């Protein structure tokens, strides 16, 4: 039997994920078996395990697929360099949620399941949660170089925080029953404006400088008074 190419493997993997999402939505996660998914996808009962070890991995695969698709679509956008930082974040969120929209029922059910049993997918979801960190870090670096936001020594930490913000938006969206998700739109508009304004102000760096100043000032004062040495001696030797 000829060995499958990477493209063929990717197509089979995609078919398995899409089939699983359909069956999970129709029949429920618990009542759907790996064998049912394999047969509905037109592959062997044992073949499916070469791609996914269990149903939990299939859910992880779906979210990973959406994250990759979102990143590719975002980077393929025309005239992206002409967008402001806020517009770029808005675009990223719009693409992200739109990719979930066709399977919103499954997304709601799977997220509720994860939230009820956070340990079930914690290890596997972690890489998906970090999918956008590098992309966001690049957006922040570009904005800093363009003078759009203040320079910060904590760009990587800010990128991780912004990445978690995307997850928070998703959680808000799955629980939004307003017409055309207007509440989500309003929440994103206000929070993005506030977030970008904070980055422009440089308050993150200023707060860090302030903390650093107090730490150093008090540290030197304690060292000068001999308090720190006495504390070390007491902790080390019980003096």
């Amino acid at each position: 039997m000829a060995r499958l190419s990477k493209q063929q493997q990717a197509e089979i993997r995609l078919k398995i994920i899409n089939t699983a999402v359909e069956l999970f939505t129709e029949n429920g996660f618990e009542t759907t078996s790996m064998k049912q998914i394999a047969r509905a996808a037109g592959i062997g009962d044992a073949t499916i395990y070469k791609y996914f070890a269990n149903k939990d991995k299939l859910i992880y695969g779906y979210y990973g697929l959406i994250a990759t698709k979102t990143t590719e679509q975002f980077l393929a956008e025309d005239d992206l360099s002409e967008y402001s930082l806020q517009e770029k974040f808005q675009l990223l969120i719009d693409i992200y949620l739109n990719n979930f929209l066709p399977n919103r029922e499954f997304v709601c059910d799977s997220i509720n399941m994860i939230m009820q049993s956070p340990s079930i997918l914690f290890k596997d979801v972690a890489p998906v949660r970090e999918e956008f960190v590098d992309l966001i870090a690049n957006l922040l670096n570009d904005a800093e170089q363009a003078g759009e936001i203040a320079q910060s020594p904590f760009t990587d930490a800010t990128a991780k925080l912004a990445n978690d913000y995307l997850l928070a938006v998703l959680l808000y969206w799955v629980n939004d029953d307003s017409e055309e998700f207007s509440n989500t739109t309003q929440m994103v508009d206000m929070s993005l404006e506030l977030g970008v304004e904070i980055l422009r102000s440089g308050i993150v760096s200023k707060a860090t400088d302030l903390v650093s100043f107090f730490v150093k000032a008090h540290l030197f004062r304690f060292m000068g008074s001999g308090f720190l040495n006495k504390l070390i001696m007491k902790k080390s030797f019980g003096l």
Side-chain angles (χ1 to χ4, degrees), residues 163-194:
N163 183 77
D164 287 341
Y165 165 74
L166 287 181
L167 177 60
V169 169
L170 177 61
L171 293 175
Y172 189 94
W173 178 76
V174 298
N175 291 288
D176 185 2
D177 57 2
S178 62
E179 186 174 355
E180 297 183 351
F181 312 114
S182 59
N183 287 343
T184 298
T185 300
Q186 186 176 6
M187 184 275 288
V188 169
D189 286 346
M190 291 189 297
S191 57
L192 277 182
E193 184 175 358
L194 176 61

mmCIF file of all heavy atoms in Angstrom, residues 163-194:
data_model
loop_
_atom_site.group_PDB
_atom_site.id
_atom_site.type_symbol
_atom_site.label_atom_id
_atom_site.label_comp_id
_atom_site.label_asym_id
_atom_site.label_seq_id
_atom_site.Cartn_x
_atom_site.Cartn_y
_atom_site.Cartn_z
ATOM 1 N N ASN A 163 -3.602 37.280 24.353
ATOM 2 C CA ASN A 163 -4.021 35.963 23.886
ATOM 3 C C ASN A 163 -5.132 35.408 24.789
ATOM 4 O O ASN A 163 -6.116 34.841 24.308
ATOM 5 C CB ASN A 163 -2.826 35.018 23.875
ATOM 6 C CG ASN A 163 -3.166 33.645 23.333
ATOM 7 O OD1 ASN A 163 -3.285 33.454 22.126
ATOM 8 N ND2 ASN A 163 -3.319 32.678 24.220
ATOM 9 N N ASP A 164 -4.981 35.584 26.098
ATOM 10 C CA ASP A 164 -6.014 35.158 27.038
ATOM 11 C C ASP A 164 -7.289 35.984 26.849
ATOM 12 O O ASP A 164 -8.399 35.484 27.070
ATOM 13 C CB ASP A 164 -5.519 35.300 28.477
ATOM 14 C CG ASP A 164 -4.483 34.247 28.846
ATOM 15 O OD1 ASP A 164 -4.418 33.217 28.151
ATOM 16 O OD2 ASP A 164 -3.726 34.469 29.816
ATOM 17 N N TYR A 165 -7.118 37.224 26.431
ATOM 18 C CA TYR A 165 -8.274 38.083 26.151
ATOM 19 C C TYR A 165 -9.110 37.487 25.013
ATOM 20 O O TYR A 165 -10.350 37.514 25.062
ATOM 21 C CB TYR A 165 -7.793 39.486 25.798
ATOM 22 C CG TYR A 165 -8.830 40.373 25.155
ATOM 23 C CD1 TYR A 165 -9.875 40.921 25.910
ATOM 24 C CD2 TYR A 165 -8.775 40.668 23.794
ATOM 25 C CE1 TYR A 165 -10.825 41.735 25.321
ATOM 26 C CE2 TYR A 165 -9.720 41.480 23.200
ATOM 27 C CZ TYR A 165 -10.744 42.014 23.962
ATOM 28 O OH TYR A 165 -11.690 42.814 23.373
ATOM 29 N N LEU A 166 -8.458 36.920 23.998
ATOM 30 C CA LEU A 166 -9.183 36.290 22.897
ATOM 31 C C LEU A 166 -10.024 35.129 23.405
ATOM 32 O O LEU A 166 -11.166 34.930 22.963
ATOM 33 C CB LEU A 166 -8.203 35.786 21.828
ATOM 34 C CG LEU A 166 -7.532 36.828 20.943
ATOM 35 C CD1 LEU A 166 -6.622 36.146 19.930
ATOM 36 C CD2 LEU A 166 -8.568 37.670 20.229
ATOM 37 N N LEU A 167 -9.479 34.364 24.328
ATOM 38 C CA LEU A 167 -10.230 33.257 24.914
ATOM 39 C C LEU A 167 -11.427 33.794 25.703
ATOM 40 O O LEU A 167 -12.528 33.227 25.643
ATOM 41 C CB LEU A 167 -9.325 32.430 25.826
ATOM 42 C CG LEU A 167 -9.993 31.264 26.568
ATOM 43 C CD1 LEU A 167 -10.593 30.273 25.571
ATOM 44 C CD2 LEU A 167 -8.987 30.566 27.471
ATOM 45 N N ALA A 168 -11.219 34.896 26.414
ATOM 46 C CA ALA A 168 -12.309 35.507 27.175
ATOM 47 C C ALA A 168 -13.416 35.989 26.242
ATOM 48 O O ALA A 168 -14.614 35.853 26.551
ATOM 49 C CB ALA A 168 -11.778 36.662 28.011
ATOM 50 N N VAL A 169 -13.037 36.534 25.098
ATOM 51 C CA VAL A 169 -14.025 36.972 24.112
ATOM 52 C C VAL A 169 -14.837 35.777 23.612
ATOM 53 O O VAL A 169 -16.065 35.853 23.473
ATOM 54 C CB VAL A 169 -13.343 37.685 22.926
ATOM 55 C CG1 VAL A 169 -14.337 37.908 21.777
ATOM 56 C CG2 VAL A 169 -12.755 39.016 23.362
ATOM 57 N N LEU A 170 -14.158 34.672 23.352
ATOM 58 C CA LEU A 170 -14.855 33.462 22.902
ATOM 59 C C LEU A 170 -15.848 32.982 23.951
ATOM 60 O O LEU A 170 -16.991 32.630 23.631
ATOM 61 C CB LEU A 170 -13.841 32.369 22.582
ATOM 62 C CG LEU A 170 -14.419 31.003 22.173
ATOM 63 C CD1 LEU A 170 -15.259 31.140 20.911
ATOM 64 C CD2 LEU A 170 -13.305 29.983 21.971
ATOM 65 N N LEU A 171 -15.437 32.962 25.212
ATOM 66 C CA LEU A 171 -16.319 32.534 26.297
ATOM 67 C C LEU A 171 -17.526 33.460 26.421
ATOM 68 O O LEU A 171 -18.640 33.000 26.694
ATOM 69 C CB LEU A 171 -15.545 32.493 27.618
ATOM 70 C CG LEU A 171 -14.440 31.436 27.720
ATOM 71 C CD1 LEU A 171 -13.676 31.597 29.031
ATOM 72 C CD2 LEU A 171 -15.019 30.037 27.614
ATOM 73 N N TYR A 172 -17.306 34.749 26.227
ATOM 74 C CA TYR A 172 -18.406 35.714 26.270
ATOM 75 C C TYR A 172 -19.354 35.470 25.100
ATOM 76 O O TYR A 172 -20.581 35.480 25.263
ATOM 77 C CB TYR A 172 -17.844 37.132 26.219
ATOM 78 C CG TYR A 172 -18.867 38.220 26.463
ATOM 79 C CD1 TYR A 172 -19.052 38.744 27.741
ATOM 80 C CD2 TYR A 172 -19.651 38.726 25.427
ATOM 81 C CE1 TYR A 172 -19.987 39.743 27.983
ATOM 82 C CE2 TYR A 172 -20.589 39.719 25.651
ATOM 83 C CZ TYR A 172 -20.755 40.224 26.931
ATOM 84 O OH TYR A 172 -21.691 41.207 27.148
ATOM 85 N N TRP A 173 -18.798 35.233 23.937
ATOM 86 C CA TRP A 173 -19.582 35.044 22.708
ATOM 87 C C TRP A 173 -20.481 33.813 22.775
ATOM 88 O O TRP A 173 -21.640 33.869 22.338
ATOM 89 C CB TRP A 173 -18.626 34.948 21.524
ATOM 90 C CG TRP A 173 -19.277 34.694 20.196
ATOM 91 C CD1 TRP A 173 -19.964 35.585 19.422
ATOM 92 C CD2 TRP A 173 -19.270 33.462 19.458
ATOM 93 N NE1 TRP A 173 -20.388 34.993 18.255
ATOM 94 C CE2 TRP A 173 -19.970 33.685 18.256
ATOM 95 C CE3 TRP A 173 -18.725 32.198 19.696
ATOM 96 C CZ2 TRP A 173 -20.157 32.687 17.297
ATOM 97 C CZ3 TRP A 173 -18.911 31.201 18.749
ATOM 98 C CH2 TRP A 173 -19.616 31.445 17.561
ATOM 99 N N VAL A 174 -19.991 32.716 23.323
ATOM 100 C CA VAL A 174 -20.800 31.491 23.368
ATOM 101 C C VAL A 174 -21.987 31.641 24.315
ATOM 102 O O VAL A 174 -22.951 30.872 24.226
ATOM 103 C CB VAL A 174 -19.960 30.259 23.783
ATOM 104 C CG1 VAL A 174 -18.858 29.989 22.788
ATOM 105 C CG2 VAL A 174 -19.398 30.407 25.187
ATOM 106 N N ASN A 175 -21.925 32.619 25.209
ATOM 107 C CA ASN A 175 -23.030 32.859 26.139
ATOM 108 C C ASN A 175 -23.856 34.087 25.768
ATOM 109 O O ASN A 175 -24.737 34.497 26.529
ATOM 110 C CB ASN A 175 -22.492 33.018 27.563
ATOM 111 C CG ASN A 175 -21.931 31.725 28.130
ATOM 112 O OD1 ASN A 175 -22.677 30.804 28.449
ATOM 113 N ND2 ASN A 175 -20.611 31.646 28.241
ATOM 114 N N ASP A 176 -23.572 34.656 24.613
ATOM 115 C CA ASP A 176 -24.256 35.871 24.170
ATOM 116 C C ASP A 176 -25.503 35.499 23.365
ATOM 117 O O ASP A 176 -25.401 34.925 22.275
ATOM 118 C CB ASP A 176 -23.304 36.711 23.318
ATOM 119 C CG ASP A 176 -23.908 38.046 22.911
ATOM 120 O OD1 ASP A 176 -25.054 38.341 23.329
ATOM 121 O OD2 ASP A 176 -23.242 38.794 22.162
ATOM 122 N N ASP A 177 -26.682 35.826 23.885
ATOM 123 C CA ASP A 177 -27.931 35.532 23.183
ATOM 124 C C ASP A 177 -28.574 36.787 22.616
ATOM 125 O O ASP A 177 -29.750 36.787 22.233
ATOM 126 C CB ASP A 177 -28.912 34.817 24.115
ATOM 127 C CG ASP A 177 -29.224 35.611 25.385
ATOM 128 O OD1 ASP A 177 -28.689 36.740 25.518
ATOM 129 O OD2 ASP A 177 -29.986 35.112 26.229
ATOM 130 N N SER A 178 -27.799 37.876 22.542
ATOM 131 C CA SER A 178 -28.334 39.112 21.972
ATOM 132 C C SER A 178 -28.420 38.993 20.451
ATOM 133 O O SER A 178 -27.769 38.143 19.839
ATOM 134 C CB SER A 178 -27.447 40.309 22.349
ATOM 135 O OG SER A 178 -26.138 40.160 21.821
ATOM 136 N N GLU A 179 -29.227 39.839 19.858
ATOM 137 C CA GLU A 179 -29.421 39.789 18.414
ATOM 138 C C GLU A 179 -28.122 40.098 17.679
ATOM 139 O O GLU A 179 -27.482 41.117 17.920
ATOM 140 C CB GLU A 179 -30.498 40.795 17.998
ATOM 141 C CG GLU A 179 -30.877 40.712 16.522
ATOM 142 C CD GLU A 179 -32.040 41.623 16.164
ATOM 143 O OE1 GLU A 179 -32.610 42.240 17.096
ATOM 144 O OE2 GLU A 179 -32.371 41.719 14.979
ATOM 145 N N GLU A 180 -27.745 39.172 16.784
ATOM 146 C CA GLU A 180 -26.509 39.296 16.005
ATOM 147 C C GLU A 180 -25.295 39.539 16.898
ATOM 148 O O GLU A 180 -24.336 40.186 16.507
ATOM 149 C CB GLU A 180 -26.631 40.407 14.957
ATOM 150 C CG GLU A 180 -27.711 40.135 13.917
ATOM 151 C CD GLU A 180 -27.773 41.204 12.844
ATOM 152 O OE1 GLU A 180 -27.087 42.236 12.999
ATOM 153 O OE2 GLU A 180 -28.496 40.993 11.854
ATOM 154 N N PHE A 181 -25.357 39.010 18.113
ATOM 155 C CA PHE A 181 -24.244 39.089 19.075
ATOM 156 C C PHE A 181 -23.806 40.540 19.318
ATOM 157 O O PHE A 181 -22.612 40.847 19.413
ATOM 158 C CB PHE A 181 -23.058 38.249 18.591
ATOM 159 C CG PHE A 181 -23.446 36.870 18.141
ATOM 160 C CD1 PHE A 181 -23.311 36.481 16.818
ATOM 161 C CD2 PHE A 181 -23.953 35.957 19.048
ATOM 162 C CE1 PHE A 181 -23.684 35.208 16.402
ATOM 163 C CE2 PHE A 181 -24.338 34.678 18.644
ATOM 164 C CZ PHE A 181 -24.200 34.294 17.316
ATOM 165 N N SER A 182 -24.799 41.410 19.401
ATOM 166 C CA SER A 182 -24.499 42.840 19.573
ATOM 167 C C SER A 182 -23.784 43.118 20.899
ATOM 168 O O SER A 182 -22.962 44.040 20.981
ATOM 169 C CB SER A 182 -25.788 43.660 19.497
ATOM 170 O OG SER A 182 -26.717 43.259 20.502
ATOM 171 N N ASN A 183 -24.081 42.349 21.930
ATOM 172 C CA ASN A 183 -23.405 42.551 23.215
ATOM 173 C C ASN A 183 -21.917 42.247 23.101
ATOM 174 O O ASN A 183 -21.082 42.959 23.682
ATOM 175 C CB ASN A 183 -24.032 41.671 24.295
ATOM 176 C CG ASN A 183 -25.390 42.167 24.735
ATOM 177 O OD1 ASN A 183 -25.757 43.302 24.482
ATOM 178 N ND2 ASN A 183 -26.172 41.311 25.386
ATOM 179 N N THR A 184 -21.587 41.190 22.358
ATOM 180 C CA THR A 184 -20.178 40.853 22.150
ATOM 181 C C THR A 184 -19.476 41.969 21.383
ATOM 182 O O THR A 184 -18.360 42.365 21.726
ATOM 183 C CB THR A 184 -20.037 39.533 21.382
ATOM 184 O OG1 THR A 184 -20.625 38.471 22.143
ATOM 185 C CG2 THR A 184 -18.571 39.204 21.136
ATOM 186 N N THR A 185 -20.139 42.467 20.358
ATOM 187 C CA THR A 185 -19.562 43.554 19.553
ATOM 188 C C THR A 185 -19.282 44.777 20.422
ATOM 189 O O THR A 185 -18.201 45.377 20.336
ATOM 190 C CB THR A 185 -20.526 43.948 18.419
ATOM 191 O OG1 THR A 185 -20.749 42.816 17.579
ATOM 192 C CG2 THR A 185 -19.948 45.093 17.603
ATOM 193 N N GLN A 186 -20.240 45.134 21.271
ATOM 194 C CA GLN A 186 -20.069 46.294 22.133
ATOM 195 C C GLN A 186 -18.954 46.076 23.152
ATOM 196 O O GLN A 186 -18.142 46.975 23.404
ATOM 197 C CB GLN A 186 -21.382 46.599 22.857
ATOM 198 C CG GLN A 186 -21.352 47.890 23.667
ATOM 199 C CD GLN A 186 -22.702 48.218 24.283
ATOM 200 O OE1 GLN A 186 -23.636 47.421 24.201
ATOM 201 N NE2 GLN A 186 -22.809 49.382 24.884
ATOM 202 N N MET A 187 -18.919 44.878 23.739
ATOM 203 C CA MET A 187 -17.884 44.567 24.720
ATOM 204 C C MET A 187 -16.493 44.631 24.089
ATOM 205 O O MET A 187 -15.558 45.195 24.663
ATOM 206 C CB MET A 187 -18.121 43.170 25.311
ATOM 207 C CG MET A 187 -17.154 42.769 26.424
ATOM 208 S SD MET A 187 -15.593 42.054 25.814
ATOM 209 C CE MET A 187 -16.152 40.462 25.220
ATOM 210 N N VAL A 188 -16.352 44.070 22.890
ATOM 211 C CA VAL A 188 -15.063 44.075 22.208
ATOM 212 C C VAL A 188 -14.641 45.491 21.853
ATOM 213 O O VAL A 188 -13.478 45.874 22.044
ATOM 214 C CB VAL A 188 -15.120 43.187 20.936
ATOM 215 C CG1 VAL A 188 -13.877 43.400 20.075
ATOM 216 C CG2 VAL A 188 -15.254 41.717 21.317
ATOM 217 N N ASP A 189 -15.566 46.285 21.338
ATOM 218 C CA ASP A 189 -15.252 47.671 20.964
ATOM 219 C C ASP A 189 -14.714 48.453 22.164
ATOM 220 O O ASP A 189 -13.688 49.138 22.072
ATOM 221 C CB ASP A 189 -16.502 48.377 20.418
ATOM 222 C CG ASP A 189 -16.868 47.905 19.025
ATOM 223 O OD1 ASP A 189 -16.016 47.252 18.389
ATOM 224 O OD2 ASP A 189 -18.002 48.169 18.584
ATOM 225 N N MET A 190 -15.414 48.355 23.286
ATOM 226 C CA MET A 190 -15.015 49.122 24.466
ATOM 227 C C MET A 190 -13.710 48.602 25.066
ATOM 228 O O MET A 190 -12.839 49.392 25.447
ATOM 229 C CB MET A 190 -16.142 49.087 25.511
ATOM 230 C CG MET A 190 -17.371 49.863 25.103
ATOM 231 S SD MET A 190 -18.592 50.046 26.454
ATOM 232 C CE MET A 190 -19.036 48.335 26.742
ATOM 233 N N SER A 191 -13.566 47.302 25.160
ATOM 234 C CA SER A 191 -12.373 46.731 25.789
ATOM 235 C C SER A 191 -11.128 46.929 24.930
ATOM 236 O O SER A 191 -10.037 47.198 25.450
ATOM 237 C CB SER A 191 -12.574 45.238 26.076
ATOM 238 O OG SER A 191 -12.899 44.521 24.898
ATOM 239 N N LEU A 192 -11.276 46.840 23.614
ATOM 240 C CA LEU A 192 -10.134 47.070 22.731
ATOM 241 C C LEU A 192 -9.675 48.518 22.802
ATOM 242 O O LEU A 192 -8.466 48.799 22.843
ATOM 243 C CB LEU A 192 -10.492 46.712 21.285
ATOM 244 C CG LEU A 192 -10.399 45.245 20.873
ATOM 245 C CD1 LEU A 192 -10.740 45.099 19.401
ATOM 246 C CD2 LEU A 192 -9.025 44.665 21.167
ATOM 247 N N GLU A 193 -10.622 49.423 22.797
ATOM 248 C CA GLU A 193 -10.273 50.848 22.875
ATOM 249 C C GLU A 193 -9.524 51.152 24.170
ATOM 250 O O GLU A 193 -8.514 51.855 24.175
ATOM 251 C CB GLU A 193 -11.539 51.699 22.788
ATOM 252 C CG GLU A 193 -11.269 53.195 22.763
ATOM 253 C CD GLU A 193 -12.529 54.018 22.558
ATOM 254 O OE1 GLU A 193 -13.616 53.409 22.403
ATOM 255 O OE2 GLU A 193 -12.418 55.263 22.551
ATOM 256 N N LEU A 194 -10.012 50.596 25.269
ATOM 257 C CA LEU A 194 -9.361 50.803 26.560
ATOM 258 C C LEU A 194 -7.978 50.170 26.576
ATOM 259 O O LEU A 194 -6.999 50.788 27.028
ATOM 260 C CB LEU A 194 -10.215 50.202 27.677
ATOM 261 C CG LEU A 194 -9.614 50.248 29.088
ATOM 262 C CD1 LEU A 194 -9.381 51.695 29.521
ATOM 263 C CD2 LEU A 194 -10.529 49.529 30.076
#
